[in-house]
Amino acid sequence: MKILILLLVILSVVRCKTPEARYPVSQNSGSYIDESVERNKEMIAKEEDYIKQVMGENTDTEYLSSADGFWYYYNNKSTDSTNTRTPEFGDMVVFDYSISTIEGETIYAEGDKPTREYSMDKEKLFTGLRQGLKLMKEGETVTFLFPSHKAFGYYGDKEKIGSNVPITAKVTLHEIKEESELETNN
């Protein structure tokens, strides 16, 4: 009987033990992420230096720098003093664009991509083009020089543009339809 009681006491003590946390076999310090960040910073700096070099070789063109990290120049700038409106969130814009390498080799020629209707910031569009459209007025044609992280980035466009390729995009903005106009027409 004493053995049975002793066995019950031992079993109850063993069963009441709280579970212990399991620890991973290996631990990472986050150094891979830090290395990746450094590689990306170096790549962006090299791309930007190269774009600046190309711009420096073309002294006839007046390049402007955007606050969003790309450069551009006007092929056709609006001189109409009444044409001051740029697209805002929700506006529908109608535009055409072509894409080439920074060196000028055509990737998508004018007409390769159909005229596009785009609802500002409500649809998918690569970052640089979305930000560039916000700088334009109706009737203007602007050429943008985008580092790869403002263009198609690591994945490319899965057709003609590869991984981490800086590009030039020539964009013509045909029309801006205000969001309020679109709501009254529907």
Side-chain angles (χ1 to χ4, degrees):
M1 185 77 171
K2 288 183 179 183
I3 293 178
L4 184 60
I5 293 174
L6 183 62
L7 191 57
L8 286 174
V9 170
I10 292 174
L11 282 175
S12 64
V13 170
V14 171
R15 286 191 148 184
C16 293
K17 183 179 174 188
T18 59
E20 292 183 23
R22 296 182 346 192
Y23 296 100
V25 175
S26 66
Q27 294 179 346
N28 292 331
S29 64
S31 63
Y32 174 77
I33 293 171
D34 295 339
E35 291 170 9
S36 178
V37 167
E38 284 306 311
R39 273 194 313 275
N40 287 336
K41 284 181 181 179
E42 289 174 15
M43 181 186 69
I44 290 168
K46 285 179 184 177
E47 286 180 11
E48 289 178 351
D49 288 345
Y50 182 67
I51 291 170
K52 289 175 185 175
Q53 176 188 341
V54 170
M55 290 187 307
E57 294 170 0
N58 191 355
T59 56
D60 297 338
T61 304
E62 180 185 349
Y63 291 95
L64 303 169
S65 177
S66 82
D68 294 311
F70 58 86
W71 297 265
Y72 63 101
Y73 63 89
Y74 287 92
N75 302 79
N76 178 29
K77 186 171 182 171
S78 175
T79 56
D80 181 1
S81 61
T82 62
N83 185 14
T84 59
R85 187 168 189 294
T86 56
E88 297 174 6
F89 179 83
D91 291 347
M92 181 67 69
V93 294
V94 179
F95 67 96
D96 287 311
Y97 68 104
S98 61
I99 296 177
S100 61
T101 63
I102 294 296
E103 297 82 17
E105 296 173 30
T106 301
I107 298 173
Y108 293 106
E110 289 185 41
D112 281 357
K113 296 277 188 181
T115 297
R116 175 101 190 251
E117 285 190 0
Y118 169 70
S119 182
M120 289 301 296
D121 297 328
K122 290 185 173 183
E123 297 177 43
K124 214 172 176 184
L125 191 64
F126 71 88
T127 305
L129 185 53
R130 186 175 63 242
Q131 294 168 336
L133 284 166
K134 293 177 185 177
L135 301 172
M136 298 178 70
K137 299 173 189 145
E138 279 186 2
E140 290 184 333
T141 301
V142 178
T143 299
F144 298 98
L145 289 81
F146 297 121
S148 65
H149 69 280
K150 289 291 179 179
F152 293 94
Y154 178 76
Y155 293 105
D157 75 340
K158 297 186 173 113
E159 290 178 33
K160 294 183 178 183
I161 300 172
S163 178
N164 298 321
V165 176
I167 62 168
T168 301
K170 184 178 178 183
V171 182
T172 301
L173 180 57
H174 299 291
E175 186 178 4
I176 302 171
K177 300 174 189 174
E178 291 185 41
E179 185 176 30
S180 58
E181 289 177 32
L182 297 171
E183 290 172 359
T184 58
N185 290 339
N186 287 336

